[in-house]
Amino acid sequence: MRKSRFLAGVGIVAAGLLGLTACNSGTPGAAPGASEGSSDQLWEVASDVSLDGSPTYDRMVAADKVVVGVKEDQPGLGFKDPLTDERGGFDVEISQWIAASLGFDADQIEYKTIPSANREQELVNGNIDYYVGTYSITDKRKESIDFAGPYLITGQGLLVAADDDSINGPDDLAGKIVCSVTGSTPLQRIRDEYSPGDTVEYDTYTQCLEQLRAGSVDAVTTDQAILAGYVAQEPETFKIAGETFSEERYGVGLPKGDTVLKDHINTLFNDGGDVWTALFDKNLAPAGIQGEQPTADE
Ligand code: GLU
């Protein structure tokens, strides 16, 4: 009872804040047919896959597994349960959907948790086959890797202590200390386009959350979809301050030049029927996030 009131509350706040276009009914809860755990009943593992000209696919076939880069501390997106080690979230399930479309079962996926700053290098070095983890498509990143997608659009926001009414947007940061993650687009933007008192950076957003909890920073900045997941977990402690102030288009990071794999994933997204909505409703809607599936044309 208490839980559902809280979820509805977040939904109302988030609807005004996330800067996303609504198309789902927004009813929190599992999508029909989606269980608490894996959603692999939403798709079948493909047989007769042929991806002629994809060196990444050839590597997966030779290894008999898929190596996927993900996040593990972003509830609703990329999360690893510290007690069970089970992975879940929208990004993790998108990675499973892609693997299935390539003929690989969920238990043939090896996950590697890779922080924001190391993503391009891990792809360039061939240590992962693809990366799904709140990875914004940017021209700078496209110099060394390729993206499929976008598969989700969100925007940069601010997280503050629940009792802090002094920050309502990025123009209120004079004299404030703002935390973000090394190598992320939000850190770069808050430095380049706004004037916070100071910025500090860590490898992960949960490290920033601890600094905010301890009162050693005044705000955490990253994508609203990530921040909403933290607020949903601790609504008494944290809140989102103001509206989004950028557009972050999430893509699947791929080794540069593998156009065959990129086209395959874009076709999967664009022809995927109800899968995207089922994954969204299951993983993101409960935190009050609203959105619609973008066309994958990268
Ligand atoms: N989407 C932003 C980025 O790719 C922030 C989230 C993240 O660090 O993964 O930099």
Side-chain angles (χ1 to χ4, degrees):
M1 200 51 186
R2 218 176 145 252
K3 194 175 171 214
S4 58
R5 262 209 315 275
F6 146 63
L7 289 171
V10 171
I12 290 159
V13 173
L17 299 180
L18 293 181
L20 302 173
T21 321
C23 85
N24 296 289
S25 66
T27 311
S35 72
E36 274 303 288
S38 164
S39 293
D40 54 8
Q41 68 273 31
L42 288 172
W43 50 76
E44 282 176 14
V45 176
S47 46
D48 293 337
V49 181
S50 142
L51 253 78
D52 280 349
S54 167
T56 317
Y57 177 69
D58 291 346
R59 182 172 67 200
M60 297 175 200
V61 171
D64 198 30
K65 67 176 179 186
V66 183
V67 186
V68 182
V70 289
K71 295 284 181 67
E72 67 174 37
D73 66 338
Q74 299 180 172
L77 285 156
F79 193 71
K80 184 161 104 176
D81 186 319
L83 298 176
T84 62
D85 275 358
E86 205 172 302
R87 303 218 184 223
F90 187 73
D91 283 339
V92 167
E93 295 206 50
I94 290 276
S95 82
Q96 293 168 348
W97 183 26
I98 294 170
S101 78
L102 296 168
F104 294 88
D105 224 7
D107 61 14
Q108 289 175 287
I109 302 177
E110 181 188 325
Y111 296 101
K112 286 194 174 168
T113 301
I114 293 167
S116 299
N118 300 355
R119 293 180 285 207
E120 289 88 270
Q121 201 55 54
E122 292 287 320
L123 281 163
V124 168
N125 291 353
N127 293 338
I128 52 176
D129 295 316
Y130 54 89
Y131 188 98
V132 192
T134 64
Y135 201 5
S136 296
I137 299 169
T138 69
D139 288 343
K140 175 103 187 53
R141 290 170 178 166
K142 276 158 95 177
E143 288 170 13
S144 50
I145 62 148
D146 280 342
F147 287 99
Y151 65 90
L152 187 73
I153 298 180
T154 177
Q156 182 168 354
L158 291 165
L159 185 83
V160 299
D163 61 358
D164 182 351
D165 290 328
S166 68
I167 300 173
N168 292 298
D171 296 322
D172 297 335
L173 297 175
K176 307 283 189 186
I177 305 174
V178 182
C179 191
S180 196
V181 156
T182 307
S184 69
T185 51
L187 179 66
Q188 200 61 45
R189 185 173 297 102
I190 210 75
R191 284 178 174 161
D192 291 352
E193 298 176 23
Y194 299 92
S195 305
D198 203 358
T199 54
V200 291
E201 57 185 273
Y202 289 90
D203 281 345
T204 65
Y205 296 107
T206 40
Q207 288 171 295
C208 282
L209 280 195
E210 292 321 308
Q211 299 299 311
L212 182 59
R213 198 191 303 279
S216 28
V217 306
D218 300 298
V220 177
T221 189
T222 187
D223 307 331
Q224 208 88 305
I226 301 173
L227 299 178
Y230 296 135
V231 173
Q233 284 204 327
E234 293 185 80
E236 323 264 284
T237 313
F238 302 123
K239 70 175 179 189
I240 284 170
E243 308 205 1
T244 56
F245 47 95
S246 77
E247 185 178 82
E248 305 296 320
R249 294 152 42 88
Y250 287 174
V252 178
L254 301 172
K256 194 164 177 61
D258 199 331
T259 329
V260 172
L261 183 57
K262 174 167 96 170
D263 291 347
H264 170 88
I265 295 173
N266 280 346
T267 304
L268 177 75
F269 288 160
N270 290 335
D271 297 351
D274 295 336
V275 173
W276 188 94
T277 303
L279 295 183
F280 185 96
D281 286 352
K282 175 186 170 191
N283 292 293
L284 298 177
I289 299 165
Q290 298 186 327
E292 62 185 13
Q293 181 175 11
T295 303
D297 56 5
E298 218 37 59

